[in-house]
Amino acid sequence: MGDLIVVDNLTRMFGSFTAIKDVSFSFDSGSIFGFIGPNGAGKTTTMRILSTLDIATTGDAFINGYSVIDEPDKVRSMIGFMPDYYGAPKNMTIKDYLDFFARAYLLKGEKRRKSVEYVIDFMDMKKIQDKHVVTLSKGMKQRLCLGRALIHDPKILILDEPAAGLDPRARIELRELLKILAERGKAILISSHILTELSELCDSCAIIEQGKILSHGNVNEIQESLQLNNKSLPVISLSLLEPNEDILIHLNEIPFVEQVEEITKGKKFKLKVNGNKNQIPQILKNLIDSGYLVMEFKLEGQNLEDLFLNITKGEVQ
Amino acid sequence: MSTTIQKLDSIGEKITDYLSPLTIKEVRQSLKGKLFLSSFLLGIVACLIPTIGFAASGSSVLGPSAFMTYSVIMFIGICVIFPYLAFSSLHEDRLNSTFELVGITNLNSYQLVWGKWQSSLVQVSLFVSSILPFLTYSYFLRGLSILSILGIIVVAFFLSQIVNLLAILAASLSHLKSNRLTFYFIFVFFLAGGYSISIGVHASIAAMRGGVADFLNNFWSNSDRNSLLIAVFIIEWFLYELAAGQLAPATANRSSRCRYSLFALFSLILIWICVFLVQSTHGVSLYELSYFNYVSVAILICAVFIMGESDELSQVLFKKYTNSRGASSAIYNIFFIPGRSSGYFFLMGILFSYLLVYIAFGSNMSFLLYFSNAVFWLSLLYLINILPYNKYLTAPLRRTATIAIVAVLLFVPTIIFLFLDNQAGAILNYFNPSFFKSNSHLSEQTLLIGNAISAVVLFLLCFIRIRTSKKEIQTVRKFDAGERGATQ
Ligand SMILES: Nc1ncnc2c1ncn2[C@@H]1O[C@H](COP(=O)(O)OP(=O)(O)OP(=O)(O)O)[C@@H](O)[C@H]1O
Ligand SMILES: [Mg+2]
């Protein structure tokens, strides 16, 4: 595989406990890969191995062709890792903090000054650059942590739950930042519990539970494979512009509609459809042809959150 | 005007490019911190108050007493407070996992330890320069030569660097949840204590022969002492490697360099023993015999590490070498392959060399006397080994009872002897804390019995160590088997 990141059968044991088992996936630059799983699934363990902080018991991972086990030094300058904890050193300003890490990545002179400035600008921290790191709010610390991961302009970003604890605005900002970074050709691995967010952001994803990958691939592919396995009937949510008393009778007459549930009287409904996917547009056509003013017509159970609940069993390790 | 300042600024920036990033960070952090500033100011104030007293009193030659006061303040500052600050900041950095993140930058852990040490050098220099005016003042109060003032400063500086290194080691080894202050003082007390004891033994022997002056004069010329210095250097090297290993991430080879230093130490010991055996045909002096203190220390350090090293220390190596278990690679395994099972062979090697020395000098009582010091050193290292703080030297017996027993064995007799004996031999008694020593009121038979007991205790401790690690060895083997099964 020519992918930038190839994870090949990683297994990590802590004593006799298997934290992850035969985890494999791969993705390429310019894409955002979502890593989804409940607490204790092994996301952090996998990410720590990828960022050369920990070592796999068996298996290997390759970053740009370099093994994280045999050539960790070569891997390190290519990755920026943002952990899920935010320790802050005392008596250090944001600028000093970034400057220190820039030095640690062996950036010198003008180059170092520029990259520190660039990160401060990019993360929009110009106004607070002289604030002490310990005094920052959680959201700000997270922002700084992402900035730190970017300081040496790595090809790959490994972000462990970067959105945890952020307010909605900060989340949207983070999402925008990540999109920009992906457009600039970075490969981003991101883990999260906040699934709705990842469904919009990620190109592909892996769902992990109890250390095993349950499903892996393109977000749409996963959705499709799931729907094939899904035995329950598809549900459509329907809402009209104006309440209409007659529609209930009409809906019950449509051939593929198995069951109608009225949510708001004459306005909002949930339809259970009996039949294959091709028949769903027929229902919409039918309604429009009959002159109903349809505001919303949506197949439910298709976002990642629902997929997630479908796939995982909710067993905490 | 402003352009000159800018130029200077940019030159300053360029210079910092050549310094360790960690040094810059530490110096910046400490200069901004309250702790540094307050200890700095406290030092000056502590010097100012007696100065007013000296100025007010009219007597003529005040130099020595003023100098004593100032240098005590200086010693406390640079040998106690600043090392603690270094310890504390490293502990803090490990606690907030800054070091974990630094571990995956382009800096390696050796640079981390080095940078930390350098930064403490900078801080100590700043502090000393603030005390310097007072020391100069004491010169003008008369009664002192400028050389003795300079000498004390140099000694203090040197000592503070050693204590600083120890503090850094302590911080890299300390358990993150442990009480910082307690751990620091236990660790530094034991190691610094160890150093001063070893120097003290030498000084006291020298004092018996020709006085301390003689000891100091010959210190740098005697080839034996040179090898002693080499040994001390190697042990420091080993401790440095250990600290760096502890700070490095799991993907780094954290074991080999520790073991290189041990190998160097072991080779030195072998050379030592050979030279000693050759020389002994011309009669053995008390001096030479005392080196066996160091031989035992060195061997025990090797033993504790090689037998006690956790597999966590170098999983990388462990992964690579799990198959090399042939007889031919036994020697290589002992020193370079992590894993406790190789410790058995090492232990046998030590026992054999002890046996050799016993056969050669078994009749020499004074030799046995010094040999019994080994028990003290073993207890010391064992104590360090079983303290619950240590991550990489496995801690099989953590019960406080053991610590208490060892402490009683070590210190109570020492203290008793210190009060019993006020003669010249008191120092020697103090520095040789085993029960059985060359006191005039002890017969040679008592000495012999005492040493026999010492030897039994020594082997008993080793035996306990082996017993307790047996279980761990089994788990290692299991891991081994699993590993191979999985890769094949
Ligand atoms: N150092 C360790 N020693 C022993 N067990 C560990 C260690 N680190 C992780 N584990 C175990 O491995 C499993 C996976 O942990 P991991 O931190 O990777 O989960 P996670 O998916 O990141 O969970 P979360 O969403 O809560 O962050 C957990 O059961 C955890 O207890
Ligand atoms: Mg996690």
Side-chain angles (χ1 to χ4, degrees):
Chain A
M1 280 179 279
D3 281 346
L4 192 60
I5 292 158
V6 179
V7 179
D8 182 17
N9 281 314
L10 280 186
T11 299
R12 173 70 164 104
M13 295 173 71
F14 295 105
S16 60
F17 174 76
T18 311
I20 56 170
K21 179 144 183 65
D22 294 333
V23 167
S24 310
F25 57 85
S26 65
F27 61 103
D28 209 356
S29 57
S31 66
I32 303 181
F33 189 88
F35 205 40
I36 304 158
N39 290 125
K43 304 182 293 292
T44 303
T45 308
T46 312
M47 287 180 148
R48 282 174 64 86
I49 292 171
L50 284 183
S51 46
T52 74
L53 272 173
D54 199 0
I55 188 163
T57 311
T58 57
D60 204 345
F62 300 90
I63 307 249
N64 204 6
Y66 296 113
S67 154
V68 292
I69 291 169
D70 298 329
E71 297 152 299
D73 294 337
K74 287 191 174 124
V75 170
R76 277 177 198 144
S77 51
M78 284 188 285
I79 49 167
F81 176 56
M82 177 180 175
D84 56 352
Y85 45 78
Y86 308 95
K90 278 184 188 158
N91 303 316
M92 247 188 152
T93 65
I94 289 183
K95 211 173 166 186
D96 286 350
Y97 185 76
L98 292 174
D99 181 74
F100 166 59
F101 276 97
R103 284 174 196 273
Y105 279 108
L106 306 184
L107 301 178
K108 293 213 186 298
E110 191 64 7
K111 209 173 162 197
R112 186 184 67 237
R113 205 180 53 74
K114 278 210 174 114
S115 61
V116 170
E117 255 171 32
Y118 169 77
V119 166
I120 287 177
D121 272 349
F122 187 72
M123 301 308 295
D124 199 17
M125 294 189 295
K126 189 101 190 160
K127 273 189 217 136
I128 53 164
Q129 62 177 352
D130 291 321
K131 250 191 157 181
H132 277 225
V133 175
V134 269
T135 64
L136 296 179
S137 72
K138 189 171 179 199
M140 270 302 160
K141 268 186 204 152
Q142 247 152 318
R143 190 175 268 250
L144 176 64
C145 211
L146 179 59
R148 185 199 55 72
L150 288 170
I151 195 88
H152 57 299
D153 194 26
K155 282 196 182 112
I156 296 137
L157 282 174
I158 298 175
L159 313 175
D160 198 357
E161 291 175 36
L166 293 184
D167 64 27
R169 172 183 292 276
R171 264 188 210 161
I172 293 167
E173 279 174 7
L174 176 73
R175 211 182 322 174
E176 293 312 310
L177 283 180
L178 293 183
K179 276 184 184 158
I180 294 172
L181 288 170
E183 271 163 27
R184 292 187 186 166
K186 299 211 185 303
I188 302 176
L189 175 62
I190 178 172
S191 81
S192 178
H193 309 120
I194 303 151
L195 307 154
T196 35
E197 202 168 61
L198 286 190
S199 66
E200 246 183 71
L201 190 64
C202 298
D203 309 298
S204 47
C205 69
I207 296 181
I208 181 171
E209 193 184 32
Q210 295 197 351
K212 291 188 195 93
I213 299 261
L214 297 181
S215 186
H216 154 224
N218 190 295
V219 176
N220 299 326
E221 281 169 22
I222 290 187
Q223 284 182 359
E224 253 156 48
S225 76
L226 250 142
Q227 273 149 24
L228 286 179
N229 297 336
N230 205 347
K231 300 284 185 306
S232 59
L233 300 177
V235 177
I236 290 164
S237 70
L238 166 74
S239 60
L240 299 182
L241 186 63
E242 280 160 5
N244 191 327
E245 304 283 326
D246 309 334
I247 191 171
L248 195 58
I249 303 153
H250 184 87
L251 282 173
N252 277 321
E253 279 168 4
I254 300 174
F256 322 113
V257 176
E258 176 90 3
Q259 193 189 336
V260 182
E261 190 190 340
E262 197 167 20
I263 291 176
T264 313
K265 199 164 184 341
K267 195 168 172 182
K268 274 197 173 162
F269 304 90
K270 274 209 158 96
L271 316 178
K272 258 195 187 155
V273 183
N274 188 4
N276 62 28
K277 260 168 61 186
N278 307 343
Q279 287 152 345
I280 292 168
Q282 299 287 333
I283 302 173
L284 182 61
K285 188 166 181 293
N286 184 320
L287 286 172
I288 290 171
D289 288 349
S290 313
Y292 293 106
L293 301 173
V294 178
M295 272 292 284
E296 190 193 336
F297 187 89
K298 190 172 143 229
L299 194 59
E300 283 203 341
Q302 299 303 303
N303 59 17
L304 269 181
E305 194 124 26
D306 301 314
L307 284 184
F308 180 71
L309 289 177
N310 272 338
I311 297 178
T312 64
K313 299 167 207 79
E315 286 164 30
V316 175
Q317 236 175 324
Chain B
M1 185 66 199
S2 70
T3 51
T4 0
I5 289 172
Q6 273 166 12
K7 251 185 205 161
L8 277 176
D9 242 22
S10 70
I11 291 171
E13 275 280 316
K14 263 188 203 133
I15 292 171
T16 63
D17 277 349
Y18 297 98
L19 296 175
S20 157
L22 203 77
T23 310
I24 295 160
K25 165 188 169 281
E26 289 295 315
V27 172
R28 267 186 190 158
Q29 254 179 310
S30 61
L31 293 188
K32 278 180 192 158
K34 286 192 196 84
L35 266 171
F36 175 78
L37 195 71
S38 48
S39 25
F40 195 79
L41 289 178
L42 215 68
I44 296 178
V45 171
C47 285
L48 264 176
I49 294 168
T51 310
I52 296 166
F54 294 133
S57 87
S59 66
S60 55
V61 185
L62 273 171
S65 54
F67 182 71
M68 266 305 279
T69 319
Y70 298 142
S71 51
V72 165
I73 294 166
M74 182 175 72
F75 264 97
I76 291 174
I78 68 178
C79 294
V80 180
I81 295 174
F82 281 95
Y84 179 69
L85 293 186
F87 171 83
S88 187
S89 83
L90 180 52
H91 187 94
E92 184 85 33
D93 275 349
R94 283 182 61 214
L95 204 62
N96 64 36
S97 64
T98 309
F99 265 57
E100 196 172 77
L101 295 176
V102 178
I104 52 169
T105 62
N106 294 3
L107 287 186
N108 61 35
S109 53
Y110 301 97
Q111 287 164 309
L112 291 187
V113 177
W114 188 243
K116 207 85 192 177
W117 199 10
Q118 273 184 341
S119 79
S120 74
L121 185 80
V122 174
Q123 289 176 40
V124 165
S125 314
L126 281 176
F127 186 75
V128 170
S129 64
S130 80
I131 306 281
L132 212 56
F134 296 102
L135 293 172
T136 325
Y137 172 71
S138 72
Y139 171 71
F140 289 115
L141 290 176
R142 295 227 202 93
L144 278 170
S145 78
I146 197 119
L147 270 181
S148 53
I149 293 178
L150 277 178
I152 291 288
I153 294 175
V154 170
V155 167
F157 211 79
F158 189 66
L159 196 65
S160 101
Q161 284 321 299
I162 292 180
V163 182
N164 266 313
L165 182 59
L166 293 181
I168 292 165
L169 294 170
S172 73
L173 288 171
S174 71
H175 195 282
L176 289 177
K177 284 186 196 116
S178 66
N179 181 311
R180 214 181 282 188
L181 208 63
T182 324
F183 179 80
Y184 171 71
F185 279 109
I186 290 176
F187 187 89
V188 173
F189 172 77
F190 272 113
L191 277 178
Y195 270 108
S196 37
I197 288 170
S198 54
I199 290 173
V201 171
H202 258 253
S204 55
I205 294 167
M208 291 188 325
R209 282 183 17 146
V212 178
D214 180 45
F215 168 71
L216 285 176
N217 285 340
N218 289 324
F219 197 87
W220 304 102
S221 57
N222 192 307
S223 65
D224 289 341
R225 244 155 286 140
N226 288 345
S227 54
L228 166 69
L229 281 178
I230 295 170
V232 170
F233 168 75
I234 294 175
I235 291 173
E236 278 190 2
W237 171 24
F238 168 67
L239 293 175
Y240 173 69
E241 297 293 346
L242 206 58
Q246 179 100 22
L247 293 177
T251 41
N253 177 354
R254 301 189 280 198
S255 185
S256 288
R257 283 179 62 161
C258 291
R259 280 160 184 270
Y260 291 154
S261 66
L262 290 183
F263 183 69
L265 198 60
F266 203 75
S267 313
L268 189 76
I269 293 165
L270 286 183
I271 294 168
W272 236 345
I273 290 177
C274 292
V275 169
F276 191 71
L277 288 175
V278 170
Q279 277 180 353
S280 66
T281 50
H282 313 296
V284 183
S285 78
L286 203 57
Y287 250 152
E288 285 152 346
L289 285 168
S290 69
Y291 292 126
F292 278 87
N293 282 323
Y294 305 105
V295 172
S296 26
V297 179
I299 289 179
L300 292 170
I301 286 178
C302 295
V304 168
F305 183 77
I306 284 184
M307 295 199 299
E309 184 192 345
S310 150
D311 323 308
E312 287 286 314
L313 195 60
S314 199
Q315 294 162 5
V316 180
L317 278 187
F318 209 72
K319 273 174 89 80
K320 277 182 191 157
Y321 293 105
T322 38
N323 288 326
S324 57
R325 287 254 187 274
S328 59
S329 61
I331 301 284
Y332 182 75
N333 277 341
I334 290 165
F335 282 102
F336 302 114
I337 309 303
R340 257 166 260 111
S341 33
S342 54
Y344 282 117
F345 196 89
F346 182 75
L347 191 77
M348 295 316 285
I350 293 169
L351 292 184
F352 182 73
S353 54
Y354 269 137
L355 197 70
L356 210 70
V357 175
Y358 263 112
I359 290 166
F361 307 104
S363 59
N364 192 326
M365 286 301 165
S366 49
F367 163 68
L368 286 175
L369 155 71
Y370 289 103
F371 206 63
S372 71
N373 263 356
V375 178
F376 166 73
W377 288 106
L378 182 73
S379 317
L380 178 67
L381 284 162
Y382 192 70
L383 189 62
I384 293 171
N385 190 23
I386 61 177
L387 280 178
Y389 305 109
N390 203 318
K391 187 171 155 199
Y392 286 136
L393 301 177
T394 45
L397 288 175
R398 289 180 175 174
R399 288 181 209 113
T400 31
T402 329
I403 299 176
I405 292 167
V406 175
V408 167
L409 272 175
L410 283 182
F411 294 109
V412 171
T414 308
I415 291 164
I416 292 171
F417 273 111
L418 196 64
F419 283 105
L420 274 183
D421 213 335
N422 274 332
Q423 277 126 40
I427 310 168
L428 184 61
N429 279 331
Y430 180 72
F431 287 122
N432 181 1
S434 65
F435 263 111
F436 315 102
K437 53 194 81 188
S438 64
N439 270 334
S440 48
H441 50 266
L442 289 178
S443 71
E444 290 203 334
Q445 261 153 358
T446 331
L447 268 173
L448 195 61
I449 294 167
N451 281 301
I453 294 174
S454 303
V456 170
V457 171
L458 192 144
F459 292 124
L460 214 62
L461 284 172
C462 287
F463 182 68
I464 294 171
R465 189 69 193 84
I466 292 169
R467 280 295 294 264
T468 47
S469 59
K470 223 173 190 167
K471 227 176 156 187
E472 295 159 63
I473 290 163
Q474 277 164 2
T475 47
V476 171
R477 295 241 166 92
K478 255 188 216 153
F479 175 76
D480 247 33
E483 175 95 325
R484 258 176 270 153
T487 43
Q488 273 164 15

